[in-house]
Every structure is written in C-alpha cells, then in structure tokens.
C-alpha cells in the first residue's frame, strides 16, 4: 500500500463545518467570516481590495522587510522550479508587495491618500507553536500618499473597529513611536554603548544584532537577553525622538484620545520589520499569550524609496486571522456557521431523480438548493435534509411529478405547503427573505 502523505509542519488545512475535531483556527467558514467583517469595516472607510502574488523577487523582501530581521535572516521560503533559478520568495508579509504594486502600476495617479486592503496566506519558517504557524493568514490594510498624523490615528481606530465588529473585547493597543531614521541612529548608538561591555552575556543572535541593528536585541526571545535587559534598565526609544517625530506622535495620540480609542503607551515597542518609522503599534489579547500579538502596524515613509520609487509616505497594519480566531475562542464568541440550504429536494423513485435535480438547478437562480443523487424514502430524505441543516425539504413522487407540484415541508415547524413548480422560485424568494 502506498504511504500516506501529510501536510507540511506548521501549515493548516482550512476545513468545512462539521469536520471531526475541528480546531478554531482551521474553520474555513470562520476565516471567511473574519474577512467579510474586515471587508465591511475597511470598505466603508474607503479602502479598495488589492491582491498581489504570493511569490516575489527575493530582493523585494530583503530590501523591504530588512536584512537585520529574523524574517529575512532565518525564515524565508525560497521558491525554486525545475530548471529555473531560486531567486523568488514566498511572501512573509503583504506590505512590501503592495508598495511594489503601487509603484509598478502607477497607483500614485489615484486620489491620495490611497487606502488598500487585502487578505491571504503568508509564509515564515518560524518555530511552530500555538498561534505561530509557517503558513498563516493576514488581513492587511495600507494607506499610501499621506504623512498626516490623522491617517495614523484613523488606521489604528479602524484596526480596533475590525476586532470589535468581530465581537472581541479583551484587546489592548500598545502604542509607541520608533522615530525618524536619525532618532533611531542615535538610539542604536546609545544601545551599542550600553551592550558592548556586556557582549559575552548576550545570546549569539544578539551579538549579531549588536552589529546589524541593536534595537532588535530589545525584541529578543532569549531568556538571558531579557534578564540582561531588565538589569541594564535600558532607556526607551521614546526618549530619543526628535522634535518632528515627537510632535507627530503627540498629534496621533491627541486624535485617539479625542475619539475615545483606548491605548497603552508602550515606550519599548520595536516591531519585527525594518521599514517602520514614527508611529508603531501592536494589538494584544490575553487569550493568545502575553508575547503574541493579534496584529501590528506602523508608518513606513521610507519604504517606497528603498524599493526604487519616489518618496511616498505610507502606513498600515495586519492582523493574523488564526490568532484572531484563537482569541475569539478564548472569549467564547460563537461564529456563524455557513447556513444550510433553503431547500433539499429528493425523488422517491429513480425515474424522478432527474426531475428533482432539474428543479433544484432552476431554483438556484434564487436560493441555495440541494438535491439527492439517488432515490430516497421520505423518512431518509427528511433525515438527510436535517443533517445538511436545510430549512425546507420536499420529496417528489409520481403524483407530484404528474401534477408538477412540490410539498414543501418546513423542517422546524413540520408544516407542509403545496407549491406549483411554476411558482417555486417566487415562493423561495419570499421564504429566503424571512
Ligand atoms: P507582523 O507584526 O509581522 O506585521 O505580523 C502581523 C500579524 O500577523 C502578527 O501580529 C500576527 O498576528 C500575525 N503573524 C505573524 N507571524 C505569524 C505566524 N508565524 N503565525 C501566525 N500568525 C502570525 C506585518 O506583517 C506587517 N506587514 C504589518 C504592516 C502592514 N505594517 C504596515 N503595514
């Protein structure tokens, strides 16, 4: 017998409702629900849908996400094909691809600020654990063409709106600023001075970070690094903001306060990608674990130029759909299942199976209608209809076929009603609407 082939570690199948032992983050209808809610909130705010390829030139990710990040140094999946080169990467995130698409397709011509959103799979070769996968899904929102603090505040408020619309309550925004490049340089210089005498106590990864980008040490997952950080009493990035970044950050906070959007100031926010500057934030939830963010975002005014384009200010955020679903599960928020069919049709004898199918096909112009592929006894047909969570069922026998009628049975009340086949679509339209 051939051996069974299983999915790759850290990837998940998204499965239909009713699958045995279905886990919250792998329910396909729940993913659809999240993206539908996000679509409603974001499109009301003027965002338009964009989709970019899931593989891109490696150079885009290296330059976009940044050479000092874990993503680029350890977690990139390269794509090769037989006989071809291996210079492609499975995207680890959506922002770099969206900015590339913006530059490549002349989206600068569209009215600014241009709001875009997308959702889809992302790939990072991380250590797999609850809420951390190698293929995961994001909802992503980006705004291009404005450096105004109002855009930052709106982006944060929208992110909160999406999770609220999903029914989550235990969410906190951790807000910080990582300043302009010159502010970051002086902070990194300060950190070098602080950590260099402690070189031997740093983890190997952080020794490396000390040369490439000392700020990354603050984000280290190593316990020794974290102990050293506590001991050294490191000053936060916020202390190093220049006048302009400070004023911008104050303005963002003033809007949020005026609108009643709650946040906790987090002076130590670092974020795991290099393109950020100024406003940066994360959305956290107790249900997903203290260190795991539901989502995060920030401003990236330098990214366009880094990708060979003109200076285009940008800001955006993404949240992980799997982590949102785990948080919803932790809060006990039920999600709507895909509704069953309005009508389930079966034939009592083989000669009428085709008529049941034809009737169903015609009725699909107005509603979801399913049919039995084999003749069924009425008792079995009604049981089947209930398993499929149908609202109505009808069984076609010789008498119904001759008279061209159906006996619609309401599966909740048990009431029956005879309907002529000619009127079926009108009746279904009416039933669908109530
Ligand atoms: P990020 O913080 O790397 O930001 O990822 C955003 C969210 O994606 C995380 O907060 C988390 O919920 C989810 N996520 C990340 N890695 C994993 C994983 N391995 N397994 C499950 N979920 C994961 C970005 O990706 C930026 N592109 C966000 C952004 C958009 N910034 C500006 N525009």
């Amino acid at each position: 017998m051939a051996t069974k082939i299983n999915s790759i570690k850290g990837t998940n199948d998204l499965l239909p409702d009713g699958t045995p032992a279905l886990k919250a983050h792998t329910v396909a209808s729940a993913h659809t629900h999240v993206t539908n809610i996000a679509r409603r909130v974001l499109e009301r705010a003027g965002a338009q849908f964009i989709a970019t390829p899931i593989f891109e030139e490696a150079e885009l990710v290296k330059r976009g996400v940044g050479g000092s990040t874990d993503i680029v140094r350890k977690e990139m999946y390269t794509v090769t094909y037989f006989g071809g080169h291996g210079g492609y990467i499975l995207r680890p995130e959506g922002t770099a691809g969206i900015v590339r698409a913006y530059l490549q397709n002349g989206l600068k011509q569209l009215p600014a600020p241009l709001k875009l959103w997308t959702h889809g799979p992302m790939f990072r070769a991380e250590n797999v654990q609850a809420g951390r996968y190698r293929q995961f899904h994001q909802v992503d929102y980006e705004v291009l063409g404005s450096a105004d603090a109002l855009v930052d505040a709106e982006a944060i408020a929208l992110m909160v709106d999406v999770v609220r619309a999903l029914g989550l309550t235990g969410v906190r925004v951790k807000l910080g600023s990582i300043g302009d490049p010159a502010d970051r340089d002086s902070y990194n210089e300060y950190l070098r001075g602080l950590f260099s005498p402690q070189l031997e106590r740093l983890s190997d990864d952080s020794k490396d970070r000390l040369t490439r980008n000392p700020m990354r040490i603050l984000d280290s997952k190593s316990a020794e690094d974290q102990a050293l950080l506590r001991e050294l009493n490191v000053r936060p990035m916020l202390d190093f903001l220049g006048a302009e970044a400070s004023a911008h950050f104050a303005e963002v906070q003033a809007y949020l306060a005026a609108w009643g959007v709650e946040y906790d100031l987090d002076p130590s926010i670092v974020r795991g990608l290099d393109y950020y500057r100024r406003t940066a934030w994360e959305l956290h939830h107790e249900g997903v674990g203290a260190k795991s963010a539901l989502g995060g975002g920030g401003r990236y005014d330098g990214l366009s130029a880094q990708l060979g384009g003109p200076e285009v200010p940008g800001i955006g955020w993404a949240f992980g759909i799997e982590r949102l679903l785990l948080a919803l599960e932790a809060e006990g928020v039920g999600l709507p299942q895909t509704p069953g069919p309005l009508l389930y049709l079966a034939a009592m004898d083989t000669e009428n199976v085709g008529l049941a199918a034809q009737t169903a096909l015609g009725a699909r112009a107005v509603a979801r209608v399913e049919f039995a592929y084999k003749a069924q006894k009425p008792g079995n047909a009604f049981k089947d209809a209930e398993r499929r969570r149908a609202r109505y069922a009808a069984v076609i026998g010789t008498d119904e076929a001759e008279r061209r009628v159906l006996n619609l049975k309401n599966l909740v009340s048990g009431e029956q009603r005879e309907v002529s086949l000619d009127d079926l679509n009108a009746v279904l339209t009416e039933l669908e609407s109530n």
Side-chain angles (χ1 to χ4, degrees):
M1 212 168 68
T3 50
K4 244 168 65 183
I5 300 169
N6 287 325
S7 62
I8 296 170
K9 184 179 171 194
T11 68
N12 292 299
D13 298 313
L14 304 187
L15 297 160
D17 296 341
T19 304
L22 197 55
K23 298 191 189 75
H25 63 283
T26 68
V27 183
S29 63
H31 278 249
T32 307
H33 176 67
V34 169
T35 54
N36 283 346
I37 296 281
R39 176 186 305 275
R40 197 181 71 204
V41 173
L42 298 175
E43 292 189 347
R44 281 185 186 172
Q48 299 186 73
F49 190 75
I50 184 167
T52 60
I54 63 164
F55 65 137
E56 294 269 6
E57 293 284 353
E59 185 62 16
L60 176 80
V61 180
K62 288 182 188 158
R63 266 202 257 160
V65 172
S68 79
T69 60
D70 281 355
I71 294 180
V72 167
R73 305 202 46 237
K74 302 191 241 171
E75 299 170 358
M76 292 202 301
Y77 283 106
T78 55
V79 180
T80 51
Y81 59 96
F82 296 109
H85 81 120
Y88 305 142
I89 297 290
L90 287 184
R91 64 180 185 193
E93 58 100 52
T95 312
I98 290 179
V99 174
R100 178 204 48 70
Y102 176 93
L103 297 172
Q104 186 176 341
N105 299 291
L107 300 190
K108 206 171 190 308
Q109 312 294 325
L110 301 179
L114 181 66
K115 297 172 180 175
L116 302 167
W117 83 281
T118 194
H119 65 85
M122 308 293 162
F123 306 84
R124 299 181 192 177
E126 295 195 76
N127 287 329
V128 179
Q129 49 186 280
R132 178 158 287 144
Y133 310 103
R134 292 183 170 175
Q135 174 174 337
F136 57 98
H137 297 79
Q138 283 186 344
V139 167
D140 181 293
Y141 168 76
E142 311 288 351
V143 189
L144 289 146
S146 170
D148 200 314
L150 183 52
V151 174
D152 303 41
E154 184 194 25
I156 296 167
L158 276 174
M159 196 175 186
V160 174
D161 279 350
V162 173
V163 295
R164 284 266 167 73
L166 282 165
L168 268 185
T169 49
V171 177
R172 299 299 302 174
V173 175
K174 291 190 176 179
L175 179 67
S177 170
I178 47 185
D180 285 313
D183 311 337
R184 272 232 302 275
D185 289 348
S186 45
Y187 190 48
N188 273 331
E189 207 171 300
Y190 157 75
L191 292 177
R192 272 197 197 95
L194 192 69
F195 288 123
S196 295
Q198 310 287 341
L199 189 67
E200 286 319 308
R201 294 182 58 195
L202 288 173
S203 68
D204 286 345
D205 272 348
S206 286
K207 284 189 183 110
D208 198 53
R209 293 178 181 122
L210 191 61
T211 30
R212 291 169 192 273
N213 187 354
M215 260 180 91
R216 289 254 157 275
I217 299 174
L218 306 184
D219 221 14
S220 167
K221 288 171 192 121
S222 129
E224 312 109 88
D225 289 348
Q226 284 303 329
L228 182 63
L229 285 170
R230 278 191 298 274
E231 193 183 308
L232 289 179
N233 221 343
V234 185
R235 288 172 64 199
M237 175 69 230
L238 277 186
D239 282 3
F240 289 76
L241 293 194
E244 285 179 31
S246 259
H248 188 268
F249 190 45
E251 221 184 315
V252 175
Q253 292 182 73
Y255 282 122
L256 292 176
W259 303 342
V261 179
E262 287 180 22
Y263 62 89
D264 299 323
L265 206 56
D266 185 342
S268 62
I269 207 140
V270 176
R271 303 285 295 126
L273 304 101
D274 279 352
Y275 48 59
Y276 290 117
R277 58 172 78 165
R278 298 199 173 184
T279 320
W281 70 93
E282 283 174 357
L283 211 70
H284 285 261
H285 188 275
E286 310 92 63
V288 193
K291 278 205 174 156
S292 307
L294 278 189
R299 182 161 275 292
Y300 50 82
D301 296 347
L303 179 57
S304 167
Q306 222 159 316
L307 299 180
E311 291 286 337
V312 179
I315 184 168
W317 52 253
F319 55 73
I321 298 182
E322 286 81 359
R323 290 196 191 165
L324 267 181
L325 294 178
L326 291 169
L328 285 163
E329 186 188 38
E331 280 195 15
V333 179
L335 295 181
Q337 288 199 328
T338 320
L342 181 60
L343 174 63
Y344 178 77
L345 273 175
M348 278 199 284
D349 24 45
T350 312
E351 306 86 84
N352 289 319
V353 169
L355 174 62
Q358 186 187 3
T359 308
L361 262 59
R364 285 176 186 166
V366 298
R368 177 168 156 201
V369 179
E370 293 180 19
F371 63 87
Y373 291 81
K374 296 244 180 320
Q376 284 188 313
K377 295 206 173 86
N380 289 340
F382 291 130
K383 250 188 244 153
D384 244 11
E386 275 164 15
R387 278 191 57 206
R388 285 160 206 269
R389 293 181 290 115
R391 287 172 57 200
Y392 291 84
V395 184
I396 303 181
T398 330
D399 175 51
E400 285 86 356
E402 273 168 13
R403 294 170 48 227
R404 297 193 47 78
V405 294
L406 284 182
N407 237 320
L408 288 190
K409 180 174 176 185
N410 179 325
L411 291 171
V412 178
S413 67
E415 263 170 66
Q416 302 223 14
R417 159 180 184 188
E418 189 173 281
V419 174
S420 146
L421 286 187
D422 297 331
D423 299 338
L424 182 62
N425 284 12
V427 171
L428 291 180
T429 304
E430 188 198 310
L431 294 175
E432 179 94 309
S433 65
N434 53 43

